[in-house]
Amino acid sequence: MDNWTFGLTLMFVGMGGTMTALAFLAILMDLLKRVFPVKEEQKE
């Protein structure tokens, strides 16, 4: 494998891993919002 192929492969793996981690965090935050919804304060 030459340098260009290795560099491009490493770039795509790194970007793919980053996007996968961000998607996982977004799904986790959405799930936590559904499990623990924000309660509005009651005004008297």
Side-chain angles (χ1 to χ4, degrees):
M1 188 178 335
D2 63 335
N3 284 340
W4 280 101
T5 307
F6 178 72
L8 288 174
T9 304
L10 191 62
M11 180 183 72
F12 285 121
V13 168
M15 290 171 63
T18 301
M19 293 301 156
T20 303
L22 287 173
F24 174 74
L25 287 174
I27 292 169
L28 181 65
M29 289 185 335
D30 187 52
L31 181 66
L32 287 173
K33 283 182 189 176
R34 291 174 192 242
V35 172
F36 304 108
V38 177
K39 295 179 182 173
E40 303 254 347
E41 293 184 18
Q42 295 180 358
K43 295 180 181 178
E44 294 184 41

